[in-house]
Every structure is written in C-alpha cells, then in structure tokens.
Amino acid sequence: EEDDFDASAPAPDPVEAPIEHAAFKLRQETAKYLEEDNDMITAARKIAQKFQQMAKYTKGRRELLELGATEEKSEFSSMTDMIKTCKEIIALTKNIQKHASMISKNCPDKRLVMSLANSMEPIGMLSQQLNIIASVKASASGKYNEAAEVEADEMLTINAQNLMKS
C-alpha cells in the first residue's frame, strides 16, 4: 500500500490531535527502516495508517454531531468499518508480538530479551483492551443516542492512542 506520507512535514499538534500525532511519530520512526523483509516495520506502518483513519472518523463524527448534521462523510462508511479496522489493528499487533517472540528466542543477550519483553507487555494488554472495547461497541452500535456513540468512538480512539504510545 503506497501512501503520500511526508516524514519531513510538521507533526500534528499533540494536544489538538493526539492520536494523529502519535501515528505521525510512529510513521516517522518506521520511515527510517526498509520495509522489505521486515514484517515488524510493515505492521507498525500499517497500524499507524489505521489509527490515522480511526482518528479522522472519530473527529468527523464529533464535528458532525456538534453541527447537528445527520449524514456522515469519512473514510469509514459505517461503524462496522471502524470495528473491522480495530480488529485489523489487533491482528497486526499480534503479528508484531509473534515476531518479537521469535527474536527473543534467538537472542543471546538476556538484557535485550528482557527489554523487548517489557516493550511487548503493554502492547498485548492494550491490544486486548482494544478488542474488548471494539466488541462492546459492535454489540451496542445503534442502541444508544449519537452522543453516547461518539463517546464510545472516543474510548476506542483513546485506547488506540495508548497502544500507539507503547
């Protein structure tokens, strides 16, 4: 998947757009490495792209609610698409964890193994939280008012932001 990412562009504001900022920083970091034959970099880059999509969707829904609009215009045609994207992020994080585990098994330096394990632990926990929130969101979608729906979207985005930071 080619995209028009510009690593030299200014980062989004961390206060106004924290998830976009974190995704941008991850994209900047992954841009330093070749993607060829590096599944962890490929997965990290895709995760950042998917988080950017989620953040745009959530921001768009919030703005539409504030304006009183009823028609959504976003990269997601429905809540189902957003939940599907969450599931894709979860699969990508599992892929990163799998590769980290393989690296750990073959690394002779125990300090590096511990450091990698410590880095992977919050990713696993946050991925599980994202899975739980997405599952709850999927089962509750359409059952509550629009404000509650937007709040649930924001919970997904906050969890995604925490995952990005780890």
Side-chain angles (χ1 to χ4, degrees), residues 136-147:
V136 169
K137 178 69 178 156
S139 67
S141 186
K143 294 181 183 175
Y144 302 101
N145 66 31
E146 187 68 17

Side-chain angles (χ1 to χ4, degrees), residues 36-154:
E36 187 177 319
D37 297 327
N38 193 334
D39 292 337
M40 290 179 78
I41 294 299
T42 301
R45 202 169 282 162
K46 287 179 182 177
I47 287 170
Q49 290 169 333
K50 293 188 180 300
F51 280 144
Q52 287 172 322
Q53 292 172 349
M54 282 180 61
K56 285 179 187 175
Y57 175 77
T58 302
K59 181 180 177 186
R61 282 192 59 165
R62 190 178 331 107
E63 289 172 357
L64 286 170
L65 180 62
E66 289 169 3
L67 295 172
T70 57
E71 189 176 317
E72 291 184 33
K73 292 181 180 159
S74 73
E75 294 182 29
F76 294 96
S77 62
S78 68
M79 180 54 57
T80 305
D81 290 341
M82 185 173 179
I83 293 167
K84 179 181 165 221
T85 299
C86 289
K87 300 292 184 181
E88 290 169 354
I89 291 168
I90 292 162
L92 288 165
T93 58
K94 286 181 181 179
N95 187 23
I96 289 174
Q97 290 175 304
K98 180 182 86 174
H99 287 296
S101 176
M102 290 185 331
I103 291 168
S104 292
K105 288 177 184 174
N106 295 309
C107 181
D109 187 331
K110 296 302 175 200
R111 291 174 301 161
L112 292 176
V113 170
M114 285 304 298
S115 178
L116 186 56
N118 289 338
S119 296
M120 290 293 106
E121 185 177 346
I123 291 173
M125 290 184 334
L126 291 167
S127 179
Q128 286 178 327
Q129 288 176 8
L130 184 61
N131 189 24
I132 292 166
I133 294 168
S135 297
V136 169
K137 178 69 178 156
S139 67
S141 186
K143 294 181 183 175
Y144 302 101
N145 66 31
E146 187 68 17
E149 296 274 336
V150 170
E151 185 178 334
D153 293 347
E154 288 174 352

